[in-house]
Amino acid sequence: MSVALREPPDLARETGGIVARRAVVRWAWRLFRREWRQQLLVFGLLTVAVAAAIWGASVVTNTQLPSATYPTFGTASAMATLPGSDSSLAADIAAVQARWGPLDLIETENVAIASSESLQLRAESPRGHYNSPLLSLVSGSYPVAPGQLALTSQVAARYGVHVGGIWRVAGATWRVTGIVQNPSNLSDKFALTAPGQITHPSQVTVLLGPAAAQAAQATSAGTLPGVPAATVTFPNGLMGGVSPAVLILVVEGLGLAFVGLVSVASFSVMAQRRLRALGMLSAIGATGRNLRLVMIAGGLAVGAMAALAGAVLGLAAWIAYAPTVQRDTGHVVDAAHVPWWAFAIGIALAIATSGLASCGPAKTVAAIPVVTALSGRPAPPKAVRRSALPGVVVFAVGLACLASAGGLNGVAGGNGGGGAQGHALFLLGGLVVTITGVCLLAPLAISVLGTGAGSRLPVAIRIALRDLVRYRARSGAALAAIMFAVFLAMGICIAASIRFGNPLNWIGPDLSSNQVTVSAAESPGVGQMEQLSGAQLATLTTRVNMLAASLRTSAVPLESASMLYQTGLPEHSVQNFTGTVYVATPRLLATYGIKASQIPSGTDILTMRPGLAGLPHMEMIWDSGYVSDSSSPPPNPGFVGGPPCTLSNRCLASPAIQTISSLPSGTSAPNTVITEYAVSRYHMQAQLSGWLIQAPAPLTTAQLSAVRHFGNVNEVQVQTATYNPSLVDFTHGATALGIVIALSMLTMSVGLIRSETARDLRTLSATGASARTRRMITAATAASLGLLGAVLGMAGAIVAGMAWAHSGLSATAGGVPLTDIAILLIGLPLVAAAGGWLFAGREPPAVARQPME
């Protein structure tokens, strides 16, 4: 009897078996523990990327409310208001409740608490069907009995009232039972009492569900059937666009892709360092899969530890930053409300990035013959044709996506909905694909350096250039990372110049630190504007002059008489004219030292906005008087559906615009004015819009407080300087960020590349090469990568911007400040070269001290 022995299935596939794989994984883990210092670069980058992604996802998720209508409607589908003067108020409420319940009732009454101030008293149930986003308890308890009251923290602090105390107001005595707030609007100040405690409400608000909303929408007047006194309003539709989740995923993917480029270079150097040991492993029978497993297992270990550390760091950073988000957004932020899906995706992507980054070097090392591996020599570089064609194809596909994004109006314009969101997705997808294509072209660009290493160059520079070509796997990944950073920096500069350099849509600080504007209309509430009577306007004028006198200056009246448009664009497009066109009164011109002799005869508009005077298809419109039978506002003259732009329609095509740089640049300041010549010639009716107060010095904290108090007492809008970034701020910030990232990548990449050529440096030192030669090699390496990355990254960003904006070179990059272009194109290589020169030149270890694996 014979017994046939068969090899286990796991050993029949030339994989080495489970035992062999376990041994290789254990050896990879020991290598990881022994070489943890060499892997700190990848570990640190992945940790920061995961932490930034988790922190950013938490911030974006909590910055926006679940619905923009929460502060007003709560979760209701419609809101009906009934006046307190309704003779059948109780019957109407009962009819609404009987037919359209469940609903929430909010009774309001204005209570005088000071000679010039009032407070809204609300009576509502804290456990309603739709008002949970409108009411929450901070401390104490809700009022439940007559004479009990709860206050918001602002009101309690203003009058020094605490929980359990007594508050006397408007002849009534209340016991304060708690502190409440509007979670969706923390600036909302009110007092809360129990339902039914307001005997004579000034208004009753009814929050309704979907059934009542559908019934009200079906009526032409927008009222509830059977309740004609009720005025029904509906939540405004949200503007279309890209959801925060999509933005988070794209940013997270771009960040980890950037980290992956550096990881490839790091793992390539690590593979070269382990080459002889892997050769020995192959010589004793390890298969190619075993060799690849060594590198991949190490990469996965780095990714797993970095993902864990990044998750902890990101969560801690978010918990620490949550109070700041709540203060800046003005609504309650729960630190425990975090997007756990972002945690999972960030951890998974970090591990996948590290694992995929190690696959390429692992595959390259596994393919090296045993004898070559034992010698420690690197593998010859691959032909660049394999990466050039895919890079060109991917780059072209990215440009096509950007061209389909519709430009600035495609993403931000329109009326929202799927169209705007589709354009935004094309933009984000186009950016990802374009950047990928640029990075795929990096090896081809590296090969170009080899052709320039001619005999006329110094020996040190020729060595540096040939080393870059020789170690193309490392230098290509490093160049891709630098191109990535420059592309993003230049892309931000181009987008900012297109968006913020637009003379129609002027962006920047609203006022200077010594300016104040006061509106000539009453503002009793947020978003409410009411015209003043003649007597009220005269009183307000006197008070404004007194305020200006207290600031040691005088108030300049601001009058408006016309509007500016550019035909061919939607009237409310983000690219159309923004701001108010004031009248260039002699007093206003004298404030900025503009003389009548500086204004050419026949000029209609004066502006400081560069480029506005040369824009085509401009129209000046004043009180068109065009009447339509439709209830919706008619289009202005010159627009689709409107009358032609003629003087009879009170519209002037192509007004004469003159640039005067002396006018103020603030977006709320009179940066664009209409001349008195145009007001007189076209018989315009100017009306007072407000006053400009320009103090001789920046306003102090006490003066700013007095200005805000003036607005509160007189119930008018006052505006002081608030910081809004300008084009220069955006471009300088983007350039600085790109330089910092690119230099960081240069430092790490050059260190990786030069560490791989340490044997050559020892040989050069043994043959008498000086420290200057070693410095020159490192400086040339850094400068070459910096110059090539700056040129290619900038060129890719400009081409992408031209495809997105559908414009030529001058229109796309012409608005970018030359200083930023020079810093990226010239400064980056020079700084890289200087850094390489300063930090190189150290005497390498002796040849006899070559480390053994």
Side-chain angles (χ1 to χ4, degrees):
M1 181 177 179
S2 61
V3 179
L5 297 178
R6 187 177 61 180
E7 188 178 30
D10 190 66
L11 300 178
R13 301 175 183 176
E14 298 182 358
T15 60
I18 297 177
V19 177
R21 286 198 295 271
R22 288 177 179 173
V24 168
V25 170
R26 287 197 300 269
W27 186 53
W29 174 249
R30 286 195 297 268
L31 286 177
F32 169 74
R33 289 186 300 173
R34 190 182 71 177
E35 299 178 349
W36 63 271
R37 293 181 181 85
Q38 287 79 9
Q39 303 184 64
L40 279 179
L41 170 62
V42 178
F43 175 81
L45 289 175
L46 285 173
T47 300
V48 172
V50 173
I54 291 176
W55 175 84
S58 302
V59 171
V60 172
T61 301
N62 289 275
T63 296
Q64 297 180 335
L65 290 169
S67 173
T69 60
Y70 266 23
T72 306
F73 290 82
T75 59
S77 301
M79 180 176 64
T81 55
L82 293 166
S85 59
D86 183 10
S87 58
S88 57
L89 180 61
D92 287 342
I93 293 175
V96 174
Q97 190 164 10
R99 185 172 180 181
W100 307 111
L103 49 79
D104 290 343
L105 285 180
I106 304 177
E107 300 171 309
T108 58
E109 179 185 3
N110 292 327
V111 179
I113 54 178
S115 59
S116 59
E117 298 181 41
S118 63
L119 177 70
Q120 190 178 73
L121 180 63
R122 300 177 187 173
E124 62 179 305
S125 171
R127 286 170 288 276
H129 300 281
Y130 310 111
N131 67 340
S132 57
L134 302 174
L135 188 63
S136 66
L137 184 66
V138 178
S139 62
S141 61
Y142 287 113
V144 294
Q148 293 183 351
L149 195 71
L151 302 174
T152 59
S153 58
Q154 302 97 317
V155 178
R158 170 71 173 80
Y159 294 97
V161 185
H162 56 84
V163 176
I166 300 297
W167 190 37
R168 295 178 177 84
V169 58
T173 301
W174 302 85
R175 178 172 296 278
V176 180
T177 62
I179 301 297
V180 294
Q181 66 182 2
N182 182 346
S184 302
N185 182 13
L186 294 178
S187 62
D188 191 5
K189 295 175 285 188
F190 60 93
L192 179 72
T193 186
Q197 296 305 307
I198 300 180
T199 57
H200 301 288
S202 58
Q203 179 178 280
V204 176
T205 300
V206 184
L207 301 181
L208 303 168
Q214 293 176 2
Q217 287 176 334
T219 62
S220 58
T223 59
L224 287 173
V227 189
T231 302
V232 183
T233 56
F234 306 96
N236 294 325
L238 298 179
M239 295 296 292
V242 182
S243 66
V246 175
L247 289 175
I248 293 168
L249 289 176
V250 171
V251 173
E252 190 171 359
L254 286 176
L256 288 173
F258 175 71
V259 173
L261 293 174
V262 183
S263 301
V264 170
S266 180
F267 283 121
S268 298
V269 173
M270 199 175 304
Q272 179 62 32
R273 185 181 294 116
R274 297 177 180 176
L275 187 58
R276 297 173 63 194
L278 294 175
M280 289 292 297
L281 191 65
S282 179
I284 62 176
T287 64
R289 182 175 296 184
N290 296 142
L291 299 181
R292 293 193 297 270
L293 185 59
V294 173
M295 294 297 301
I296 295 175
L300 292 176
V302 175
M305 296 188 66
L308 179 60
V312 174
L313 180 62
L315 182 60
W318 158 243
I319 293 175
Y321 190 67
T324 303
V325 176
Q326 176 169 300
R327 183 181 66 249
D328 294 342
T329 58
H331 63 257
V332 172
V333 172
D334 184 7
H337 180 224
V338 294
W340 297 110
W341 59 267
F343 276 63
I345 292 178
I347 292 173
L349 286 179
I351 298 175
T353 298
S354 182
L356 291 175
S358 62
C359 286
K363 183 179 179 180
T364 301
V365 171
I368 297 177
V370 176
V371 176
T372 305
L374 291 174
S375 66
R377 303 301 296 172
K382 296 181 180 180
V384 298
R385 299 187 189 92
R386 299 179 183 176
S387 59
L389 182 59
V392 173
V393 173
V394 172
F395 184 71
V397 172
L399 293 181
C401 292
L402 291 175
S404 303
L408 187 61
N409 273 338
V411 178
N415 296 323
Q421 185 169 1
H423 286 304
L425 290 176
F426 268 113
L427 172 60
L428 295 175
L431 283 176
V432 174
V433 176
T434 302
I435 292 174
T436 303
V438 170
C439 294
L440 289 176
L441 293 173
L444 176 63
I446 288 292
S447 65
V448 176
L449 293 176
T451 61
S455 58
R456 295 183 179 181
L457 293 177
V459 175
I461 298 179
R462 293 205 305 270
I463 292 175
L465 296 180
R466 290 172 180 173
D467 279 347
L468 288 175
V469 179
R470 180 185 179 190
Y471 301 101
R472 190 180 302 147
R474 271 70 74 198
S475 56
L479 177 61
I482 297 167
M483 291 165 57
F484 186 97
V486 176
F487 183 97
L488 289 183
M490 191 63 185
I492 294 174
C493 291
I494 291 175
S497 66
I498 294 174
R499 172 65 178 89
F500 303 137
N502 184 2
L504 290 173
N505 196 341
W506 192 244
I507 298 295
D510 49 5
L511 296 171
S512 62
S513 57
N514 65 331
Q515 291 177 334
V516 177
T517 60
V518 181
S519 174
E522 189 177 15
S523 179
V526 178
Q528 302 178 14
M529 297 296 292
E530 299 178 2
Q531 296 297 324
L532 298 175
S533 63
Q536 291 174 322
L537 189 60
T539 303
L540 181 60
T541 301
T542 303
R543 294 178 179 177
V544 170
N545 290 329
M546 294 174 60
L547 174 65
S550 67
L551 300 178
R552 301 177 182 177
T553 185
S554 58
V556 179
L558 297 176
E559 300 176 357
S560 58
S562 66
M563 298 178 292
L564 275 178
Y565 287 99
Q566 185 182 39
T567 57
L569 295 174
E571 292 187 46
H572 303 291
S573 165
V574 295
Q575 288 185 287
N576 218 323
F577 188 88
T578 58
T580 304
V581 180
Y582 295 106
V583 177
T585 60
R587 189 172 178 182
L588 178 62
L589 295 179
T591 302
Y592 298 101
I594 302 175
K595 300 179 181 179
S597 58
Q598 297 177 250
I599 305 175
S601 59
T603 301
D604 299 313
I605 298 289
L606 301 177
T607 183
M608 58 70 53
R609 303 186 181 189
L612 183 63
L615 291 179
H617 312 301
M618 295 298 296
E619 292 181 355
M620 183 174 64
I621 303 173
W622 61 97
D623 186 22
S624 65
Y626 178 54
V627 180
S628 173
D629 295 334
S630 174
S631 59
S632 60
N636 280 304
F639 287 91
V640 177
C645 182
T646 60
L647 293 180
S648 60
N649 290 324
R650 297 178 177 86
C651 176
L652 175 65
S654 301
I657 303 177
Q658 178 72 25
T659 303
I660 300 290
S661 59
S662 303
L663 289 171
S665 60
T667 57
S668 298
N671 58 68
T672 301
V673 295
I674 181 172
T675 62
E676 288 195 319
Y677 157 80
V679 173
S680 174
R681 178 176 178 179
Y682 304 117
H683 309 288
M684 300 180 184
Q685 297 295 324
Q687 60 181 0
L688 182 66
S689 299
W691 295 267
L692 172 68
I693 301 176
Q694 184 156 319
L699 301 182
T700 63
T701 303
Q703 290 173 331
L704 289 174
S705 178
V707 168
R708 298 189 185 100
H709 179 71
F710 174 87
N712 293 332
V713 171
N714 295 279
E715 293 187 343
V716 294
Q717 288 185 349
V718 296
Q719 188 171 6
T720 57
T722 56
Y723 175 73
N724 293 313
S726 62
L727 171 62
V728 175
D729 296 327
F730 272 98
T731 54
H732 287 358
T735 302
L737 180 62
I739 289 290
V740 170
I741 295 177
L743 286 178
S744 301
M745 294 303 102
L746 268 173
T747 302
M748 293 182 288
S749 302
V750 170
L752 291 173
I753 295 172
R754 298 320 310 171
S755 67
E756 194 167 358
T757 59
R759 179 188 302 178
D760 299 332
L761 287 179
R762 285 191 289 266
T763 304
L764 287 174
S765 299
T767 57
S770 62
R772 181 175 181 178
T773 302
R774 296 191 295 272
R775 291 180 186 274
M776 179 67 73
I777 293 175
T778 305
T781 302
S784 301
L785 287 175
L787 178 60
L788 198 56
V791 172
L792 295 179
M794 185 176 297
I798 292 175
V799 174
M802 293 168 60
W804 173 62
H806 303 282
S807 59
L809 177 62
S810 59
T812 301
V816 181
L818 293 178
T819 54
D820 296 279
I821 296 178
I823 290 174
L824 285 173
L825 197 58
I826 302 174
L828 177 60
L830 290 179
V831 173
W837 178 275
L838 291 175
F839 295 105
R842 185 170 57 90
E843 183 76 19
V847 176
R849 293 178 57 191
Q850 181 176 351
M852 297 293 293
E853 294 291 341

